[in-house]
Amino acid sequence: MKLVVISAGLGVPSSTRLLADRLAAAAAPAATAPEPAPADVHVIELRDLAVEIAHTFTNGFPGPELSTAFDTVRAADGLIVVTPVFSASYSGLFKSFFDALGAGDDSAVTGKPVLIAATGGTARHSLVLDHALRPLFAYLKAVVVPTGVYAASEDWGAAGLEQRIQRAAGELAALMAGMSAQGPSPRRDSFEYVTPFEERLAALSRAPGPAEARRASET
């Protein structure tokens, strides 16, 4: 079982990466319990891919390291995504990664369990989880765990953060285990069911014209 962690932290060391590591440390063994071996954890540091992400939007093709990261995400059984808060939302680097991923494969995270998390300097930004991150991954058709984790500066070392980490990690692990038992869902080719042009043309010819539609509305 593969757990992929995506960290959008910019600094070294980074509180974003620290939160990502703590979430992964809690979720990896829980995902494979009662087996002794934890899930394989793969970390993607977006800071190291920033140049290739930018080039993807100008030339239309991901570079080799970014392509590897995309393949890692597609092969994941579960995702932990963590971003710092900028201007009351996720960072531009974080969003750009998923924009570039979706441009090449709009079903890359469809149906995947995702744990959302964020870091910031003040607790006032905690709503970023529900106002920005959750809608983003709902749009991408991922399965977002109920508990998101936000860590403000004052949360580090506080008991409440560890409780949220354990609860969210347990929810992610349960989803990963459940979906692994079901087996992978078949990937659907978006061009598999294409309506022939003749059928579309026939449907247009059967549609009432403006005059007919007006008469029907008057009756």
Side-chain angles (χ1 to χ4, degrees), residues 16 30 37 76 78 85 102 121 217 219:
T16 300
V85 175
S217 64
T219 59

Side-chain angles (χ1 to χ4, degrees), residues 57-159:
F57 293 102
T58 57
N59 59 29
F61 299 96
E65 292 186 12
L66 186 58
S67 293
T68 299
F70 287 167
D71 290 341
T72 301
V73 171
R74 294 187 188 100
D77 296 297
L79 298 173
I80 295 173
V81 298
V82 192
T83 178
V85 175
F86 289 144
S87 301
S89 187
Y90 36 64
S91 72
L93 178 61
F94 182 87
K95 180 62 161 56
S96 294
F97 175 81
F98 287 100
D99 284 345
L101 174 64
D105 182 359
D106 61 2
S107 63
V109 299
T110 297
K112 291 188 186 298
V114 176
L115 192 167
I116 56 173
T119 59
T122 171
R124 290 195 298 265
H125 291 307
S126 61
L127 288 177
V128 68
L129 296 173
D130 293 321
H131 285 212
L133 283 165
R134 199 173 296 277
L136 170 62
F137 286 96
Y139 174 79
L140 296 174
K141 301 180 180 66
V143 181
V144 184
V145 304
T147 301
V149 180
Y150 178 82
S153 299
E154 63 266 25
D155 289 326
W156 298 103

